[in-house]
Amino acid sequence: MTATIKKQHYAYITLPNGPRLLVERIGKGRYTTAWIHRAARVVYLQVKDGLDSSKEMISKLDQTNPHIPKFEFIAAMNLGYQDYVLYSCPYYIPLTAKSKVAWKQFRALERMIREASAVPLMKQLNHCEVARRRNLDFNDLVQESDLSPLLKEAISDIVDGCGNYGPCMIEIARRNLAVDPLTDDLILLDPCFNYKKVCDSRQAKS
């Protein structure tokens, strides 16, 4: 597995036992860079190894659930200055109000995550305990709602998955959600984050 930079927003990715692909950068976060192979409508996620376990966690969930993104592990790679893990997934379109079904699901989840986040917690809880409590409170609200059974199941599976990755907390934010262009289903594309890393980063800046 190799990756070489061609221009600022383009790169070549040579897949294991596969072709050499020209990909275009479509997004960059703190730990992940997203590249698209437009001809195949496939996105490759270049994740800094050891810093973001959310893609690994999602890839182990039930990929037949229409709300779970279909992440597939491709390879580990080293670019000389950083170890990365590469995942692939189909191209999902950004979430907007034009996708009426997905938008309604998003707004309902957004209200519930706000309600769960407003519940006071004991100050002596550590980062893992806070993340676990927030996730469980949110899941309780979801399971009691009138959302679809498959969406409820997806949230429950993510909560269970987060429990295996320390201070992994669910986040419902439009920028981290997407829509399946074929079904209009809401895709929980990047629904969690490392709560401890975020707290440490905020503390370092203060």
Side-chain angles (χ1 to χ4, degrees):
M1 168 65 206
T2 63
T4 56
I5 302 300
K6 183 183 180 187
K7 294 181 180 179
Q8 183 178 5
H9 298 293
Y10 292 88
Y12 281 113
I13 294 179
T14 304
L15 301 178
N17 303 316
R20 189 169 185 247
L21 305 175
L22 176 63
V23 292
E24 179 185 353
R25 192 176 75 186
I26 57 173
K28 183 175 176 60
R30 180 176 299 179
Y31 305 122
T32 302
T33 302
W35 306 87
I36 186 171
H37 182 230
R38 293 198 178 276
R41 297 181 68 79
V42 173
V43 173
Y44 294 94
L45 302 170
Q46 176 188 340
V47 183
K48 291 182 179 180
D49 192 23
L51 296 177
D52 181 3
S53 301
S54 62
K55 310 300 184 294
E56 175 185 322
M57 185 270 285
I58 293 292
S59 72
K60 295 179 179 179
L61 301 182
D62 180 7
Q63 300 287 294
T64 65
N65 188 304
H67 302 286
I68 299 294
K70 294 173 175 56
F71 289 162
E72 180 182 356
F73 170 80
I74 301 297
M77 61 183 184
N78 181 279
L79 298 184
Y81 54 90
Q82 173 73 54
D83 290 328
Y84 291 92
V85 181
L86 192 72
Y87 294 89
S88 70
C89 71
Y91 173 69
Y92 300 114
I93 62 176
L95 173 64
T96 69
K98 293 180 180 179
S99 302
K100 297 186 182 304
V101 173
W103 186 259
K104 183 178 180 180
Q105 294 167 337
F106 156 63
R107 293 307 298 267
L109 291 174
E110 185 182 45
R111 287 193 298 271
M112 284 180 265
I113 199 75
R114 286 177 179 169
E115 183 176 343
S117 299
V119 177
L121 297 177
M122 293 183 293
K123 292 183 178 180
Q124 62 265 36
L125 294 179
N126 62 37
H127 293 97
C128 290
E129 292 168 335
V130 170
R132 179 177 178 275
R133 186 69 263 162
R134 291 295 190 214
N135 291 344
L136 291 175
D137 288 345
F138 173 58
N139 191 41
D140 286 345
L141 293 172
V142 170
Q143 302 309 317
E144 294 170 0
S145 73
D146 59 357
L147 291 171
S148 71
L150 284 173
L151 185 51
K152 290 181 180 181
E153 182 180 313
I155 295 294
S156 181
D157 286 351
I158 291 171
V159 168
D160 289 344
C162 283
N164 298 320
Y165 287 86
C168 184
M169 184 182 286
I170 288 185
E171 176 183 36
I172 301 297
R174 187 176 72 171
R175 66 183 182 279
N176 294 335
L177 303 174
V179 179
D180 187 320
L182 299 179
T183 64
D184 202 38
D185 279 320
L186 181 70
I187 303 295
L188 302 166
L189 189 62
D190 189 15
C192 49
F193 65 98
N194 188 304
Y195 176 64
K196 183 178 186 304
K197 281 189 171 69
V198 170
C199 290
D200 290 347
S201 176
R202 288 173 179 170
Q203 186 174 3
K205 293 178 180 178
S206 62

